[in-house]
Amino acid sequence: MNIRDLYLSSAFGCLFCLAAVQPLLAQNEALNWHFGDSIALSFASGQPLQISPTSMNTVAGCAAISDATGNLLFYTNGGGQLDALGDPISNGAIWNRNHTLMYDMMGTEGGQLSADQSSLILPDHATAGNYYLLTMVDSRSNDRGLSYFYIDMSLNGGLGEVTTADQRIFNPTELGLAATPISDQSGYWIVIYGENSNELVVVRLDDTGFGEPQVQVLETDEIGTSIKISPDGSKIAAGNSLFDFDNESGEVVELLTTLPERSRTTHSFTPDSRFYYTTFSNQTLGTVVARYNVEAANILNSEELIDALSETSSTGLMQIGPNGNLYFIESDMQGDIGLSEIVCPSSSFSSAPLPTYSRFILNFGSTDRPYRGLPNYVDALFANLGTEDTTFLDPINLSICPGESINARQIGMSYDWSTNESAFSIMPNESGTYNLTITTDCGVTIDQQVVTVNAVPDAEIRPILFEGSCPGDSIPFFVLSSPAPDSVIWFDSTRADTIEFAPAEGQIIRATAFYACGSIDLSSQAPIIEVEEINAQIFVDSDTTQLCPGDDISLRVDGLGFNSVTWFNTEESLSITVSSVDSNAIYDVVLSGSCNSTDTLVADLDFSRCPPVCESEFPDIITPNGDGRNDLFRLFTNCPVEDYQLVIFNRWGQEVYSSSNADERGWDGTKNGEPQPMDGYLYIASFRFPLSDELQQKDGQFTLIR
């Protein structure tokens, strides 16, 4: 990025072309000048034309700034002054583009009323669209010295507002205020005079704000009332002296030359930084305009006299114009004040006119309050590269919309585009590099413009879903496009790049995305967040092919959709071991999945292939009355028996019944067909279950009731 691109990009971001009726100059930020006694000029046509209205009223110093398309933003007279009684001679003010008061300095803030460089406007390199207004006062007048105001152009409906006022940077000082971009494009070097006549003070301004002022002692004490820095940032003119300047370190390197008795106010470098102009008094010719080649081995001996300023009583600050010519205020003996011009200031070859001085190209007439100043600019804004017969404009990056034009950055007699078009303006259909040769009165200018043609891109509303998102969660939404939108207004009037809320199921999300070349309405349905279902089962592992109560088993869970398990015994591993399984117990596990989902699984234990557990029982009472209930005394068992023996005795020890057949009906309470009395009876039994060697023996008593 070159030094002009720094100024443009840091101040305004992307650049947009003007319509075909208005030329796009590289210096559009300096397209509107406000100065003097209600004087306003526009360079929109390539030449200065007086326009109206303006609220400007100043004796000398002032500053004005426009946007990248040449639309005025704000201007200032730099500061005010109080009289001996404490009443304002001039309040000092900042006016917005509507020429209404943005800020009143009340005569006690800002720069010096009579200073040639009372103010200077720099874009905030950290925040595009905002500005620093620097002001300067001679310390002998008051203690304000170098100060600043901060203007936020996004406030007050885009008219701008001062958010920080009259903040001190350095004091004490003498008059003089200039700036140039740092070589790495990270900000600016601000240069002022120090307290002593042989001092320059350099202050760095970058994304972090103002750096520590560095006082540098010069090899001369010929300081003046203004400072000029060459557009390429390599040289400084301080008073009658020229110095090499290192715009990487911010150091004044060495004295190049001293030009005795030359003007310390009416002086300027040319846009190509090859020449330096100033004025001086000649006994024969009067006030003379002279030019010096700063690339010459002996700068003083390279002097060329351009013209004499006849009938001139005084001259003011000299300033490069957006068209590459030099301008200064001149007043005549009759009291009229006008704008004078030096055309083709870098021309030096035979096929083109040499520099021409044109006196009073605009005559502003007389005034009760004479003025001499022009707006103070960072001259890097006007930088170009010149040779003896050709001027090379630094390539510029432009961003336009379909159907918009790009224009030659200099007025010429003919135009030769790389597209074979020969008009001042062309309408690019596609992005690319467009080269232009401009033939002017001063020679040939080479212009290169790298153009990006922007259409409204395809875009869509996208949700940002995180791992583990659940229905009802708050979801961020943004507009996806290339390039990203400049701004987005959402359905609820929120203006933000991203909006976050919990959408209802199936809700339609709407937004309008704004781009440099238009806007697009978007809609999208809120995403349906599906919760992964738990799909798992319990596997039973046993050492035997058939499961029986009392065996040891291993239970394990396998499947998808869960992230934790809790078994019936509170264990949380995927598998557990159960010792001596109980056929009557329930072995379950609770599975936990995403979004608080749960599922409970129960182990299916199949004991069907296990031999039954044989049980046996004899009754305590029998009631042999023929009702079908408890009529018999017999063995009740769930298994067949072998080696069965049953003997029943009455209370006197007499046998009343015996059997060796478990399948018999049992004792019905009779002996030899005779009913036995109601009483208690004793029994002795033995038997064996199949596949068991153990002989089961039972004895006891029971009661017979009739």
Side-chain angles (χ1 to χ4, degrees), residues 144-429:
R144 296 200 295 265
L146 177 64
S147 303
Y148 79 90
F149 297 75
Y150 190 80
I151 294 95
D152 187 338
M153 290 303 300
S154 68
L155 302 179
N156 195 23
L159 293 175
E161 186 173 301
V162 174
T163 58
T164 303
D166 201 37
Q167 298 298 299
R168 305 291 173 259
I169 301 173
F170 183 81
N171 192 55
T173 61
E174 294 286 346
L175 296 178
L177 173 60
T180 192
I182 301 170
S183 62
D184 63 2
Q185 319 308 317
S186 59
Y188 300 90
W189 298 115
I190 302 166
V191 182
I192 61 174
Y193 288 118
E195 179 182 18
N196 300 313
S197 60
N198 64 339
E199 293 176 347
L200 280 182
V201 180
V202 179
V203 181
R204 181 186 179 102
L205 173 61
D206 55 25
D207 289 355
T208 63
F210 294 95
E212 187 69 24
Q214 302 297 319
V215 178
Q216 303 183 35
V217 179
L218 306 178
E219 298 177 51
T220 178
D221 60 1
E222 294 291 329
I223 66 170
T225 58
S226 65
I227 300 171
K228 285 291 183 178
I229 305 177
S230 62
D232 66 3
S234 67
K235 295 173 178 63
I236 289 181
N240 293 333
S241 301
L242 298 179
F243 299 87
D244 263 335
F245 182 70
D246 185 347
N247 66 343
E248 179 179 357
S249 65
E251 295 182 4
V252 179
V253 180
E254 63 175 326
L255 175 67
L256 295 175
T257 189
T258 296
L259 306 173
E261 300 180 359
R262 269 55 177 179
S263 174
R264 304 179 185 188
T265 297
T266 311
H267 63 140
S268 176
F269 292 93
T270 55
D272 59 10
S273 302
R274 291 191 300 136
F275 296 98
Y276 173 72
Y277 277 78
T278 186
T279 62
F280 65 91
S281 295
N282 181 279
Q283 290 184 350
T284 303
L285 301 175
T287 302
V288 175
V289 177
R291 180 176 82 166
Y292 300 86
N293 185 348
V294 298
E295 297 176 349
N298 189 317
I299 297 175
L300 183 60
N301 289 344
S302 71
E303 179 181 272
E304 299 175 77
L305 302 184
I306 303 302
D307 213 329
L309 311 183
S310 60
E311 300 181 3
T312 298
S313 62
S314 66
T315 59
L317 191 71
M318 185 179 287
Q319 177 61 54
I320 304 173
N323 55 10
N325 296 336
L326 302 182
Y327 295 90
F328 57 92
I329 291 293
E330 186 177 349
S331 60
D332 62 16
M333 299 297 183
Q334 289 72 42
D336 285 346
I337 299 176
L339 184 71
S340 296
E341 177 184 51
I342 299 174
V343 181
C344 305
S346 295
S347 294
S348 59
F349 60 101
S350 58
S351 61
L354 291 175
T356 302
Y357 159 65
S358 299
R359 185 170 186 268
F360 272 42
I361 62 168
L362 294 174
N363 190 332
F364 305 129
S366 61
T367 178
D368 294 334
R369 191 179 187 188
Y371 50 90
R372 64 179 184 274
L374 292 175
N376 190 20
Y377 288 103
V378 176
D379 281 345
L381 184 64
F382 311 101
N384 63 43
L385 176 64
T387 64
E388 282 199 351
D389 57 357
T390 305
T391 297
F392 295 88
L393 301 180
D394 287 337
I396 189 172
N397 296 311
L398 300 177
S399 183
I400 67 172
C401 298
E404 290 185 337
S405 299
I406 63 172
N407 312 290
R409 289 188 284 162
Q410 187 170 325
I411 302 296
M413 296 182 295
S414 65
Y415 310 93
D416 182 14
W417 291 90
S418 55
T419 58
N420 296 322
E421 296 170 274
S422 58
F424 175 80
S425 302
I426 64 171
M427 187 182 296
N429 293 321

Side-chain angles (χ1 to χ4, degrees), residues 20 81 141 245 249 269 408 443 464-465 524 540 606 609 614 646 684:
Q81 184 174 328
S141 300
F245 182 70
S249 65
F269 292 93
I464 302 176
L465 296 178
S524 177
V540 181
D606 182 8
R609 299 172 59 190
C614 295
L646 173 63
I684 298 174

Side-chain angles (χ1 to χ4, degrees), residues 20-99:
V21 297
Q22 182 175 348
L24 175 65
L25 303 177
Q27 302 86 1
N28 279 346
E29 291 76 12
L31 210 61
N32 298 285
W33 290 12
H34 292 252
F35 59 93
D37 187 5
S38 302
I39 303 299
L41 303 180
S42 170
F43 283 82
S45 66
Q47 297 299 320
L49 297 176
Q50 190 168 357
I51 59 173
S52 61
T54 181
S55 297
M56 178 64 76
N57 193 310
T58 185
V59 173
C62 52
I65 195 72
S66 302
D67 65 19
T69 59
N71 297 307
L72 178 68
L73 293 176
F74 63 91
Y75 56 95
T76 179
N77 60 9
Q81 184 174 328
L82 302 177
D83 61 18
L85 298 177
D87 297 323
I89 299 173
S90 173
N91 275 21
I94 306 171
W95 295 277
N96 62 32
R97 65 171 180 264
N98 291 340
H99 315 289

